[in-house]
Structure formats: C-alpha cells, structure tokens
Amino acid sequence: MKRIPLVVTLGLVAAAGYSAGAWAQAKEQFVPVNSYWVGPYAAGGSGIAGAMIDYFKLLNARDGGINGVKVTWEKCETEYRNDRGVECYERSKKKGPTGATLIHPLSTGITYSLIDKGTADKIPIVSIGYGRTDAADGRVFPYVFPMITTYWSQNTAKIKFIGAREGGMDKLKGKKIVNLYHDSAYGKETIPVLDAQAKIYGFQVTHIAVPHPGNEQQAQWLQVRQIKPDWVILRGWGVMNPTALKAAAKVGFPRTKIMGVWWSGAEEDVIPAGDAAKGYIAAGFNAPGSNFPVLKEIQKYVYAKGQGELEDKSRIGTIYYNRGVLWGILTTEAVRTAQGRFGKGQPMTGEQVRWGLENLNIDEKRLKELGAVGFMQPLKLSCADHEGGGQVKFQQWDGRQWKVISDWVPSDQKLVRPMIEASAAQYAKEKGITPRDCSKEK
Amino acid sequence: MEFVFFVEVLAGGLLAGVMYALVALGFVLIYKASGVFNFAQGAMVFFAALTFVSLTEAGWNFWLALVVTLAAMVLLGIATERVVLRPLVNQAPITLFMATIGLTFVLEGLSQMIWGSQPHGLELGVPDVPMEWLSQRWNVNISQFDLFAALVAGVLVAVLALFFQKTRIGRALRAVADDHQAALAVGIPLQHIWAIVWAVAGFVALVAGLMWGVRNGVQYALTFVALKALPVLILGGFESILGAIVGGLIIGATEKLAEVYLGPFVGGGIESWFAYVVALVFLLFRPEGLFGEKIIDRV
C-alpha cells in the first residue's frame, strides 16, 4: 500500500476534526443566561435562571434539543446591576454558531440599557413580566418583547379583581386604595395607569414611596393607618415585601386587603414575614405547584439523573422556579416557530428568532403538548403586539403555600393599549424612529 | 387625634432608632479599639444571623445554635485579626479601612456560599404586633418586639459600658484606642486586644442580626442596615457607646417625622437620605459628633 505522507494525514485529520466540530457547533442554539446568583435578589435570579436551564436540559435529554438542535447556554452574573448586565450582553452576543438567540436581562434597569443595543445588533430583548411597558408596541420597538403581561395590564387586572371582591366595579366609587411602591423606575411604572383607573372608577388612590431597599417602613405604614384605605397595592421587590407585611401587622392592617404585584408574590417574599403574611394576596402570570406534567418530566429526565441545576430540589414548584420554566418554554418555542419558517433543525439567528417571537402562538392544544395547561396562559404575539397574553391569576398565601384563588383575569386592553401606543409614539418622536408598517411584515 | 398620631410616629421613630443603634454599636467598638471604620459590620450582621437561622432550621436547639454562632463570630474575629489586621499594624487608617471593604465582599460571598441565598424567617418568641391594651385605650400602636429590642439594646449598652470601664481588658482596649504605639510600649498585646474587640463586635453583630432578622427576615438585605448606622455614628460620635444610642434615637425620630410630615410635599421616600441631611448639618456645628472626642492636631 502506498504510504500517505504524515503531513497530509495530519492535514486530513485536522480537516475532518474541524468539519465535525463545525457541524457539531452548527447544530447548537446558544442562549445566554444572564442572571444573579449573589446579592439581594439572588433568590429570584437563581430560581428563575436555574429553572430555565433545567428546561433546556429536559429538551436536550428527552427530545435531543429543538428539532435536533441542542440548546447551549452560558451563565453570566449581573448582580442585578445595569453595568454588569450590559457587560454580560456584550460578552455573550456573538457566542454560539449564530450568536445570542435572545437576551433575558432579568432586570427592568438592564432592559432599558439594552433596548438600543439589542435593536442595533438584531438580538431580541425579552422581558417577561417586567421591563418597559410601552415596548409592547412592536411597531416602535421591533426587538423588545415585554411578553405575556405588562405591568400596566397587570394593574388593570388587579383593579378588576379588587372590584370583584368589593361586589362589582361600580362599588369601587369612593373606595380608598394606597399604592405602596418601591421608589425606583420599576416602582413608579404603574402610577399613570392607576391614576387613569381612579378617574374611571371613582376611587381615591394615594401613592406612597418606600426608599430602596425598603427594610424600614414604619413611617409609611403609619401613613397607611391614618389614611385607612380599603386596599393596599404592594409594589415591592426583595426585602421590601416581607418588611411591608410585618409592618402591616404592626399597625393592624389586614393582610387579606393587601394585593401584591407578581414581584411581591413568591415564597421568598412571604416566608421571612412568618405569620404576618397569612392571607396576603398576590398577582401572578404563572401558577405555583409541582403537579404539572412539564415539571414531572424535568424531575424524571434531569433531577433523577443528578443533573438538576438547583441544589435544593424543594424549590421545584415554587413561584420563581415555575416562572423560569415558563421562560424556558417561551424561549424554545420562539426558536421552534422560527425554525418552521427558516429551516427545521437549523440554529436560528437573533433576527430569525424575532420573527419566531412575533409569530408565536401557544394555544391550549400546544400547552397540552408542552405539559403546561394551567401552568401558564395561552398567548399569541404579532408584529404590533409584543405582549401577547395580558391575563393574570391571583393567589393567596395560607401560611404554608400559595393557593390559586382565581381563574385567568383578563386585563383592560381598552385602557392599556391606547396608553401604550401613545407612550411608544412619544418615544418614537423623541428618538426619530419611524414605526414599522405591520401590514408589510411577512 | 393628630397629637396621638404625632406621638405614635415619634415613639415609632425612637424605637426604630434603637434598632439602628444596635448596628452602630458594632462600628463604635472597633473604632474605639483600633481607629478603624469597619465597613464589614453590615456583612458581619448578615453572616451572624444567617448562620444562626440556618442552624436552627437544620433542627439545632435554639441555645446551641446561639452558642455555636457566637463561637463562629469569635473565630471570625480572631481570623480577621490574624489574616487582615496583623499584617497592617501601623499602616494608615485608610489602608485598614480598605481592608475592611475587602472583608465585606469576602464575608458576603462566603455567607451565601455556605448557607445559600434563600431568605429565611426568624421568630424569637416575641410577637411583632401592637400591644392591645395600648391600642384599645389610647389608639397608639407600639410593637411588643420594639420594646423588647429597646430592652436588649439597653442591657447591651450597660454590659459594654461595664466591660470598658471596669475590666482589665476594657482598660487595655481604651489604651489601645488612645495610642497603638504607647499601648505596645507599656506591654499591652495589641493583637490580642484586636482579636477580642473583633470578637465582641461579632457578638454585637449577632444581637443586631437577630433583631433585624425578626423584623425583615434573614436575607442579604441585612447588609444594608449598616447604611442606617452611618448617620447615627456621624451624629453620636464614632467612639461613644452612649453616642450610638442617643444618635440612634435622634436619627430614628427625625427621619420618621420628616417622612410623615414633610414627605408628602416632596413626593415621599425621603427618610433614607433625610437622616444624612440631619447628620451633615450636625457636622457643621460639631464635627466630632455629640459624644465624640475632639480632634486636636498639632501642626
């Protein structure tokens, strides 16, 4: 047999190796997991990010990825800081064969910092349950997706729920509501919509700010006691939540009349408050509990093999964990939708994933296939509507666990959508953006 | 009615001030003995409370968990002296201050690495609810727990005052505080004294951590309570235990009254920075604080 020169052999091996590597690499969909595992908000960051990774692991182990494309990820610690969030974004945006699929900033502040960058780089900035509300107008914000339910939508659903508890929306006239908010951009986000609703329904709203981080609220709750409101809306984050519940107990305000937003409604918000949290009600866009098929699959394919992301398995089924699974579902379903148009079994670019997000349609049938009926609401996005769902479930803490106490309560889109469009139009004017004509989008 | 409300705000502020003073005491102790502003005091509060609550949640008996946590704080004090402070003897105070900043991050990371980042609830058997008789008779809400915290702070101050004034170690601590070099020259073992004072500061951090842990839950945000202690220290003086208490009371009462009576005119949420305004205004008239030692530099 003729001998093949060593150099040629090495060259062939290297080429084959490169080609195999390139092929393997090409069959990967890279998702940056920028979150926070240390610091004041680590409980939320670690739970959500861990669950999202668990869902990716489930897809890889059970289905071989998304139509054969393995999901890959890399964790980056943002510490919930804007500068770190931007650094993580820059570090991860070009990784993987097609760059970052999309970015979950996991912070309203970081979301604001990334709007221009994501738009320029054609990478979707997905803020599920937080972020800039008027970015729901996809004509002005083509690469920003405040999905499932925005803060404004949530707020209108809360007033609907309070109205129902009071015996009808007409019964809200003359009622007093205190909006106890975290003194930050996040906290102030719902003031305009609450004021608008107060005018429509005739209730009196008082906004009381709690300075960051909210670990001292005596003065605020004495003010609440003096006002004697019918309801208190708690728009807190982190330590502000248990402190508020404790302070409410101190002034004798009933916890059954405190309505928290979904960033005030996790186990981590109530357990530190102990008995003071009993009866407290909070909004949610995902259900609590571990009895959903998708979670059982994660237990079976991931945790049973010792590959779970969280050390404490008891966190499966908690609010933050389930929220992270929901993020995983939306992320991978957007990729799957994009593959349907741009090439099944191929990794998608950020631009293609944006199309996938705008054409995402998760109906009851698909929810059943995903093992997530009742776990999350059906949603359908479009070029103009980057929100998609707009519904809220309410839950009550019984001292041990969250109990769901309502069905999906729709938001008041007749009120919210015009406000979103007006605010987005103002933004477009300030930035010199010409809104997209969605009728021309394919 | 308005007067009763004013009294309630004032009382609430004074009692909140006691909680601030509990944290401020830890700063004072270390500053008295070493002239170092210990930036890590908030992290020590967090570490102590998290260790204690994690042990009790693991099924340990309350008192055993308390003793073990105290032992951990003493060990931490000794380790800090050995690893951080000893190599920096006779260095400028700013160098020691920077070292405590580093210690802060190490402690915060270490705490979460050992015990995790999940928040915990903490109960000490004294309910944080208003006393009914006071509420029903005068319509004034004063929490039982606030009074308990005030009692604990009072006992702590008395014990520390006795320790500093009446014991040999206490006198040695004061000598070291006055002049490191002179104290060394007369045979006072500086390293031992520093280790002791850091251990005592660890004990104070544990007490403060338990009180604040009941109020807010035991979580990372406990590190922020140190920020509440700074205006107290500016006002009360960095070397005075009594100053920490009086400063705490003044800051607590002033910030609550400001939040309730001035806040609504400027959009609210002013208490966190208003305390610093009070402290800074105070600095203009008495830079050493109410009970601090007057600084005279010869030039």
Side-chain angles (χ1 to χ4, degrees), chain A residues 39-51:
Chain A
Y41 309 117
S46 61
I48 290 172

Side-chain angles (χ1 to χ4, degrees), chain A residues 181-201:
Chain A
Y181 67 95
H182 191 269
D183 198 8
S184 62
Y186 149 73
K188 290 173 184 166
E189 182 91 13
T190 52
I191 290 176
V193 75
L194 256 174
D195 287 340
Q197 286 184 292
K199 274 186 197 157
I200 294 168
Y201 298 113

Side-chain angles (χ1 to χ4, degrees), chain A residues 292-350:
Chain A
F292 298 97
V294 61
L295 299 185
K296 288 183 176 164
E297 295 273 278
I298 288 175
Q299 296 261 26
K300 182 180 164 189
Y301 284 93
V302 183
Y303 280 87
K305 292 175 183 166
Q307 290 170 351
E309 191 65 17
L310 299 182
E311 281 179 28
D312 181 4
K313 263 177 68 176
S314 69
R315 293 180 75 184
I316 296 173
T318 62
I319 293 291
Y320 283 144
Y321 187 87
N322 290 6
R323 195 161 292 173
V325 172
L326 183 154
W327 290 17
I329 290 174
L330 293 182
T331 302
T332 50
E333 286 303 294
V335 173
R336 200 183 300 276
T337 305
Q339 281 187 4
R341 174 173 176 190
F342 298 105
K344 214 169 176 180
Q346 295 302 314
M348 296 290 108
T349 63

Side-chain angles (χ1 to χ4, degrees), chain B residues 212-252:
Chain B
W212 277 95
V214 169
R215 172 63 43 80
N216 300 144
V218 177
Q219 51 187 305
Y220 180 89
L222 276 182
T223 59
F224 298 145
V225 300
L227 297 176
K228 289 284 183 188
L230 291 184
V232 172
L233 292 165
I234 295 170
L235 206 145
F238 280 77
E239 303 100 345
S240 170
I241 290 173
L242 182 65
I245 294 290
V246 176
L249 293 175
I250 294 173
I251 289 292

